Amino acid sequence: VYEEVFHEGKYAGIFQFMNGGMQRLGSRAKVSSIEEIATVSAIFRPGPLSAGVDKMYIKAKFGDDDIEYDHPLIEQVLGKTYGLIVFQEDIMNLVNTLGDKITMSDANVLRKLLTKKGTGKGASLKYSIRDRFVAGCIEKGMKKRDALEMWQNFEYFSGYGFNKSHAVCYSMISYQCAWLMTYHEGEWMAAFLDKVSDKKKESAIATAKSL
Protein backbone atom coordinates (compact mmCIF):
# COMPACT_ATOMS: atom_id res chain seq x y z
CA VAL A 1 0.00 0.00 0.00
CA TYR A 2 2.68 2.50 0.98
CA GLU A 3 4.83 1.72 -2.07
CA GLU A 4 1.96 1.65 -4.57
CA VAL A 5 0.25 4.85 -3.44
CA PHE A 6 2.50 7.07 -1.34
CA HIS A 7 5.88 6.24 -2.84
CA GLU A 8 4.69 6.03 -6.44
CA GLY A 9 2.39 9.06 -6.09
CA LYS A 10 -0.91 7.36 -7.03
CA TYR A 11 -3.02 9.72 -4.98
CA ALA A 12 -6.37 9.62 -6.81
CA GLY A 13 -9.04 10.44 -4.21
CA ILE A 14 -6.76 9.75 -1.25
CA PHE A 15 -8.01 11.67 1.79
CA GLN A 16 -5.65 14.46 2.89
CA PHE A 17 -3.56 13.98 -0.28
CA MET A 18 -5.66 15.86 -2.81
CA ASN A 19 -3.34 18.87 -2.67
CA GLY A 20 -0.29 18.79 -4.95
CA GLY A 21 2.03 20.06 -2.23
CA MET A 22 0.83 17.42 0.22
CA GLN A 23 1.28 14.75 -2.46
CA ARG A 24 4.86 15.82 -3.11
CA LEU A 25 5.67 15.86 0.60
CA GLY A 26 4.19 12.39 1.11
CA SER A 27 6.23 10.99 -1.77
CA ARG A 28 9.45 12.75 -0.77
CA ALA A 29 9.03 11.53 2.81
CA LYS A 30 8.23 7.99 1.57
CA VAL A 31 5.74 7.52 4.39
CA SER A 32 5.58 3.93 5.60
CA SER A 33 3.21 3.96 8.58
CA ILE A 34 0.00 5.62 9.74
CA GLU A 35 2.07 7.61 12.24
CA GLU A 36 4.24 8.95 9.41
CA ILE A 37 1.13 9.91 7.43
CA ALA A 38 -0.01 11.78 10.54
CA THR A 39 3.37 13.48 10.81
CA VAL A 40 3.45 14.81 7.24
CA SER A 41 -0.20 15.87 7.47
CA ALA A 42 0.63 17.87 10.62
CA ILE A 43 3.70 19.37 8.96
CA PHE A 44 1.83 20.40 5.80
CA ARG A 45 0.17 23.42 7.39
CA PRO A 46 1.04 27.12 7.06
CA GLY A 47 2.95 27.42 10.35
CA PRO A 48 5.30 24.44 9.98
CA LEU A 49 5.81 25.12 6.27
CA SER A 50 6.78 28.73 6.90
CA ALA A 51 9.25 27.51 9.53
CA GLY A 52 10.74 25.01 7.05
CA VAL A 53 9.78 21.98 9.13
CA ASP A 54 9.01 19.98 5.97
CA LYS A 55 12.56 20.42 4.68
CA MET A 56 14.06 19.65 8.10
CA TYR A 57 11.98 16.48 8.38
CA ILE A 58 13.07 15.17 4.97
CA LYS A 59 16.74 15.92 5.65
CA ALA A 60 16.61 14.34 9.09
CA LYS A 61 14.75 11.22 7.95
CA PHE A 62 17.15 10.40 5.16
CA GLY A 63 20.32 11.15 7.04
CA ASP A 64 21.37 14.36 5.31
CA ASP A 65 21.56 16.06 8.70
CA ASP A 66 23.13 14.66 11.86
CA ILE A 67 20.56 14.63 14.66
CA GLU A 68 21.84 15.77 18.03
CA TYR A 69 19.81 15.42 21.20
CA ASP A 70 20.64 17.40 24.34
CA HIS A 71 19.57 14.41 26.46
CA PRO A 72 18.76 10.71 25.77
CA LEU A 73 15.25 11.26 27.16
CA ILE A 74 14.59 13.75 24.36
CA GLU A 75 15.42 11.09 21.79
CA GLN A 76 13.04 8.76 23.62
CA VAL A 77 10.21 11.26 23.02
CA LEU A 78 11.14 12.73 19.61
CA GLY A 79 12.99 9.83 18.00
CA LYS A 80 10.15 8.97 15.61
CA THR A 81 10.05 12.54 14.30
CA TYR A 82 13.85 12.80 14.15
CA GLY A 83 14.16 15.37 16.92
CA LEU A 84 11.42 17.67 15.60
CA ILE A 85 8.44 18.80 17.65
CA VAL A 86 5.45 18.08 15.40
CA PHE A 87 2.46 17.49 17.68
CA GLN A 88 1.06 19.18 20.77
CA GLU A 89 1.48 15.84 22.54
CA ASP A 90 5.24 16.06 21.93
CA ILE A 91 5.39 19.05 24.27
CA MET A 92 3.28 17.21 26.84
CA ASN A 93 5.57 14.18 26.76
CA LEU A 94 8.73 16.29 26.97
CA VAL A 95 7.63 18.28 30.01
CA ASN A 96 6.35 15.12 31.68
CA THR A 97 9.57 13.20 30.97
CA LEU A 98 12.09 15.94 31.72
CA GLY A 99 10.31 18.16 34.24
CA ASP A 100 10.28 18.03 38.02
CA LYS A 101 7.18 16.00 38.99
CA ILE A 102 5.10 17.39 36.10
CA THR A 103 2.17 15.03 35.59
CA MET A 104 0.45 14.44 32.26
CA SER A 105 -2.49 16.38 33.69
CA ASP A 106 -0.16 19.33 34.32
CA ALA A 107 1.25 18.87 30.82
CA ASN A 108 -2.23 19.02 29.31
CA VAL A 109 -2.92 22.25 31.20
CA LEU A 110 0.30 23.64 29.73
CA ARG A 111 -0.76 22.55 26.23
CA LYS A 112 -3.98 24.50 26.59
CA LEU A 113 -2.19 27.54 28.00
CA LEU A 114 0.38 27.57 25.21
CA THR A 115 -2.11 27.16 22.40
CA LYS A 116 -4.45 29.78 23.86
CA LYS A 117 -1.69 32.23 24.79
CA GLY A 118 -2.68 32.21 28.47
CA THR A 119 -2.54 35.55 30.30
CA GLY A 120 -3.19 36.66 33.84
CA LYS A 121 -3.62 33.70 36.19
CA GLY A 122 -2.97 31.37 33.28
CA ALA A 123 0.35 33.05 32.54
CA SER A 124 1.54 32.65 36.13
CA LEU A 125 0.63 28.94 36.04
CA LYS A 126 2.48 28.55 32.75
CA TYR A 127 5.65 30.07 34.17
CA SER A 128 5.34 27.95 37.29
CA ILE A 129 5.36 24.85 35.08
CA ARG A 130 8.28 26.33 33.14
CA ASP A 131 10.33 26.67 36.33
CA ARG A 132 9.59 23.05 37.26
CA PHE A 133 10.49 21.95 33.75
CA VAL A 134 13.84 23.76 33.84
CA ALA A 135 14.57 22.43 37.34
CA GLY A 136 13.85 18.88 36.22
CA CYS A 137 16.07 19.25 33.15
CA ILE A 138 18.98 20.50 35.27
CA GLU A 139 18.47 17.66 37.75
CA LYS A 140 18.67 15.19 34.85
CA GLY A 141 21.96 16.64 33.67
CA MET A 142 20.94 19.20 31.05
CA LYS A 143 22.37 22.69 30.91
CA LYS A 144 20.00 25.45 32.00
CA ARG A 145 20.64 27.24 28.70
CA ASP A 146 19.50 24.18 26.72
CA ALA A 147 16.41 23.74 28.90
CA LEU A 148 15.39 27.38 28.39
CA GLU A 149 16.01 27.10 24.66
CA MET A 150 13.74 24.06 24.53
CA TRP A 151 11.06 26.00 26.40
CA GLN A 152 11.35 28.79 23.82
CA ASN A 153 10.79 26.16 21.15
CA PHE A 154 7.61 25.13 22.98
CA GLU A 155 6.40 28.73 22.94
CA TYR A 156 7.16 29.12 19.22
CA PHE A 157 5.75 25.74 18.24
CA SER A 158 2.50 26.33 20.11
CA GLY A 159 1.48 28.82 17.42
CA TYR A 160 1.03 26.04 14.87
CA GLY A 161 1.10 22.71 16.74
CA PHE A 162 -1.46 20.10 15.70
CA ASN A 163 -3.19 17.53 17.87
CA LYS A 164 -1.74 14.05 17.31
CA SER A 165 -4.92 12.20 18.25
CA HIS A 166 -6.76 14.05 15.47
CA ALA A 167 -3.92 13.59 12.97
CA VAL A 168 -3.78 9.82 13.55
CA CYS A 169 -7.56 9.43 13.15
CA TYR A 170 -7.45 11.34 9.85
CA SER A 171 -4.46 9.31 8.70
CA MET A 172 -6.21 6.01 9.36
CA ILE A 173 -8.80 7.16 6.79
CA SER A 174 -6.00 8.11 4.37
CA TYR A 175 -4.57 4.61 4.72
CA GLN A 176 -7.98 2.99 4.17
CA CYS A 177 -8.36 4.98 0.94
CA ALA A 178 -4.87 3.92 -0.15
CA TRP A 179 -5.64 0.27 0.67
CA LEU A 180 -8.74 0.38 -1.55
CA MET A 181 -6.74 2.07 -4.30
CA THR A 182 -4.14 -0.71 -4.09
CA TYR A 183 -6.33 -3.80 -3.89
CA HIS A 184 -9.55 -2.63 -5.60
CA GLU A 185 -8.21 -0.07 -8.06
CA GLY A 186 -11.03 -0.28 -10.63
CA GLU A 187 -13.80 0.09 -8.06
CA TRP A 188 -11.93 2.84 -6.22
CA MET A 189 -11.33 4.85 -9.39
CA ALA A 190 -14.96 4.44 -10.44
CA ALA A 191 -16.11 5.75 -7.06
CA PHE A 192 -13.57 8.59 -7.21
CA LEU A 193 -14.76 9.73 -10.64
CA ASP A 194 -18.43 9.32 -9.69
CA LYS A 195 -18.25 11.34 -6.49
CA VAL A 196 -15.90 14.17 -7.47
CA SER A 197 -17.65 17.52 -7.96
CA ASP A 198 -18.44 18.69 -11.50
CA LYS A 199 -15.95 21.55 -11.33
CA LYS A 200 -13.18 19.06 -10.52
CA LYS A 201 -14.35 16.32 -12.89
CA GLU A 202 -12.01 17.23 -15.75
CA SER A 203 -9.00 17.22 -13.42
CA ALA A 204 -10.11 13.89 -11.93
CA ILE A 205 -10.40 12.30 -15.39
CA ALA A 206 -6.91 13.57 -16.22
CA THR A 207 -5.64 11.98 -13.01
CA ALA A 208 -7.29 8.67 -13.91
CA LYS A 209 -5.76 8.75 -17.40
CA SER A 210 -2.31 9.49 -15.98
CA LEU A 211 -2.58 6.25 -13.97
Side-chain angles (χ1 to χ4, degrees):
V1 172
Y2 294 109
E3 291 175 0
E4 284 287 319
V5 174
F6 299 100
H7 298 186
E8 297 296 325
K10 296 180 180 179
Y11 290 112
I14 306 302
F15 179 58
Q16 295 193 111
F17 288 85
M18 300 294 283
N19 176 284
M22 181 67 166
Q23 292 174 357
R24 288 188 290 275
L25 179 57
S27 296
R28 286 169 58 215
K30 294 195 179 299
V31 296
S32 56
S33 68
I34 287 173
E35 192 165 11
E36 287 190 358
I37 298 174
T39 298
V40 298
S41 70
I43 289 173
F44 194 77
R45 299 169 69 242
L49 291 176
S50 65
V53 177
D54 56 326
K55 297 179 181 64
M56 288 187 279
Y57 179 77
I58 297 295
K59 287 181 179 179
K61 181 174 182 180
F62 296 107
D64 294 335
D65 279 355
D66 292 330
I67 306 169
E68 295 183 2
Y69 298 94
D70 291 327
H71 195 282
L73 290 174
I74 299 175
E75 182 175 7
Q76 179 179 305
V77 175
L78 298 180
K80 289 185 178 180
T81 55
Y82 310 101
L84 297 170
I85 297 174
V86 175
F87 303 106
Q88 294 175 6
E89 286 87 342
D90 292 335
I91 294 178
M92 293 174 59
N93 286 321
L94 285 168
V95 297
N96 171 250
T97 302
L98 292 167
D100 179 23
K101 297 183 179 67
I102 299 177
T103 66
M104 285 302 283
S105 179
D106 293 334
N108 191 43
V109 169
L110 175 64
R111 178 188 66 81
K112 293 177 181 178
L113 291 172
L114 287 173
T115 54
K116 295 179 180 178
K117 304 296 182 186
T119 57
K121 183 178 179 181
S124 63
L125 178 56
K126 179 173 70 174
Y127 292 122
S128 171
I129 296 175
R130 180 198 62 184
D131 292 343
R132 289 160 58 197
F133 170 72
V134 172
C137 288
I138 294 171
E139 183 182 344
K140 292 175 177 65
M142 281 181 64
K143 296 178 181 178
K144 182 176 181 180
R145 180 185 69 245
D146 293 335
L148 288 171
E149 183 178 341
M150 178 170 286
W151 183 269
Q152 289 175 347
N153 288 338
F154 294 166
E155 295 264 19
Y156 174 73
F157 167 86
S158 65
Y160 62 74
F162 196 67
N163 187 295
K164 185 175 184 178
S165 59
H166 290 177
V168 170
C169 289
Y170 297 159
S171 297
M172 289 173 69
I173 299 173
S174 299
Y175 179 82
Q176 289 168 340
C177 293
W179 188 92
L180 290 167
M181 174 68 180
T182 301
Y183 292 109
H184 302 278
E185 185 175 20
E187 292 85 347
W188 176 259
M189 292 302 294
F192 167 58
L193 293 171
D194 184 47
K195 297 299 182 183
V196 71
S197 65
D198 287 341
K199 65 180 180 179
K200 295 181 179 179
K201 190 80 73 178
E202 186 177 348
S203 174
I205 292 172
T207 297
K209 286 181 176 179
S210 74
L211 300 176

